[in-house]
Amino acid sequence: MKKNRKNLALLLLAASLLAGCTGQSNSQSSQSSQAKSEKKAESKASSKSAAKSAASSAVSSTKSSSSQASSKSAASSSQRADANRMGTLTSQLRVKLPGMLLPAADGLGQGSSNLNIRYTSSSSQNVVYYSVGNSPLALNDSRIASEKPYAVLTEKKNVADASSLINYQEPKTGLPAVKIAGNVTGTEEGAAGSTYLQFNQGQWSFVVRASNVQGQKPLPTAQKLLALYQQYGLPDTAAKSSVQVDVGESLGSLNTVITWAKGSSVYQLKAHSTETAFKMLKSLS
């Protein structure tokens, strides 16, 4: 009897221990399952956050690209509008001044949108004034006369002696030689408080005048002048023609003077910038 009770007690103790282990195992399993669920939730949240970030980045990139494209388009439209203004005014000039050679390019680096043009005409000559104002005005508007021209193109018609107007300079001898660039050499001489540097290319003579009083040197301007000639060229002419440049550029100074003959006419372009003059003449037709 005692032995049976002892066996029963052992059985009850074993059952109790087994139940405790099972409960602990179920608890660990539950905790593991909960941890897995939390990790999955965190993973989903992280994925959603990454997706939102990527979408936001894509939208931002698209907006940036769209903005850049819009800016380029606006700049391109502005450039076309500037070119169209010169083209429109030149087309009107061709009607008013038939047969006169005119530039298609204004030669400006900026200010083309406010380009203004006026002209005078007579039986002996045509004169066209190019200027930049505060606003675009109609061809020959009376208000343009108060603007300083940055370039003036003159055609003298039916000229009997073109050489008297062109002032071509024959190559000088017996004067100090100055190397301009490459194999191009000029000559230098002083007179009346100025230094004159001259070189010749084909049918053209080039003379640069520098003021000694202002401490100017002619060589840098002569080198720039030669480079512009090599880059843009000058109008075709059968007659000997000339380019004269005073050192120093300022609005309204018209320090560059280019003169040549075409048929029975003598043309002259004066400009405040030598580069502007060459750009305009490159587009002459």
Side-chain angles (χ1 to χ4, degrees), residues 99-102 153-163 165-166 203-204 234-242 258-268 281 284-285:
M100 181 179 181
L101 293 174
L102 295 168
L153 178 62
T154 301
E155 176 195 19
K156 292 187 179 295
K157 297 180 278 188
N158 303 314
V159 176
D161 181 15
S163 61
L165 298 174
I166 293 176
Q203 292 285 81
W204 293 85
L234 283 167
D236 291 333
T237 174
K240 293 180 177 180
S241 304
S242 68
I258 302 174
T259 314
W260 74 101
K262 184 70 173 179
S264 61
S265 294
V266 171
Y267 285 86
Q268 184 177 82
L281 293 181
L284 204 67
S285 63

Side-chain angles (χ1 to χ4, degrees), residues 18 20 25 45 55 80 90 97 104 114 133 135 145-146 178-179 184-185 208 213 220 231 240 242 263 281 284:
L18 180 60
S25 176
R80 287 196 298 270
T90 301
L97 307 174
N114 287 334
S135 61
S146 64
V178 178
K179 182 177 180 179
V184 179
T185 302
V208 175
V213 176
Q231 180 179 357
K240 293 180 177 180
S242 68
L281 293 181
L284 204 67

Side-chain angles (χ1 to χ4, degrees), residues 15-226:
S16 176
L17 290 173
L18 180 60
C21 291
T22 302
Q24 185 177 2
S25 176
N26 289 339
S27 175
Q28 290 177 346
S29 177
S30 175
Q31 290 176 356
S32 175
S33 177
Q34 183 178 356
K36 288 182 179 178
S37 297
E38 289 176 352
K39 286 184 179 179
K40 285 183 179 180
E42 288 178 358
S43 178
K44 287 182 179 180
S46 178
S47 298
K48 287 182 179 180
S49 176
K52 286 182 179 180
S53 177
S56 176
S57 178
V59 170
S60 177
S61 177
T62 301
K63 286 182 178 179
S64 177
S65 298
S66 176
S67 176
Q68 291 176 357
S70 178
S71 298
K72 288 181 180 179
S73 177
S76 178
S77 297
S78 176
Q79 290 173 353
R80 287 196 298 270
D82 293 347
N84 287 342
R85 176 156 182 76
M86 180 63 176
T88 298
L89 291 173
T90 301
S91 295
Q92 295 172 3
L93 270 178
R94 293 193 190 282
V95 175
K96 302 294 184 180
L97 307 174
M100 181 179 181
L101 293 174
L102 295 168
D106 59 28
L108 295 171
Q110 58 183 3
S112 296
S113 58
N114 287 334
L115 169 71
N116 291 318
I117 298 177
R118 67 183 180 92
Y119 72 92
T120 61
S121 182
S122 68
S123 59
S124 60
Q125 71 175 18
N126 297 321
V127 185
V128 182
Y129 302 85
Y130 297 84
S131 60
V132 175
N134 294 322
S135 61
L137 301 172
L139 178 68
N140 248 24
D141 188 294
S142 60
R143 290 171 288 179
I144 302 175
S146 64
E147 298 175 355
K148 286 185 178 181
Y150 69 84
V152 179
L153 178 62
T154 301
E155 176 195 19
K156 292 187 179 295
K157 297 180 278 188
N158 303 314
V159 176
D161 181 15
S163 61
S164 63
L165 298 174
I166 293 176
N167 195 30
Y168 172 85
Q169 300 292 308
E170 294 288 349
K172 300 289 195 301
T173 58
L175 294 172
V178 178
K179 182 177 180 179
I180 310 298
N183 60 353
V184 179
T185 302
T187 56
E188 189 175 86
E189 64 178 323
S194 297
T195 298
Y196 295 84
L197 179 54
Q198 176 186 334
F199 63 95
N200 292 62
Q201 293 285 286
Q203 292 285 81
W204 293 85
S205 66
F206 299 80
V207 178
V208 175
R209 185 188 75 84
S211 170
N212 296 336
V213 176
Q214 298 181 38
Q216 297 174 338
K217 301 296 181 182
L219 182 57
T221 299
Q223 290 171 329
K224 177 183 177 182
L225 181 56
L226 176 61

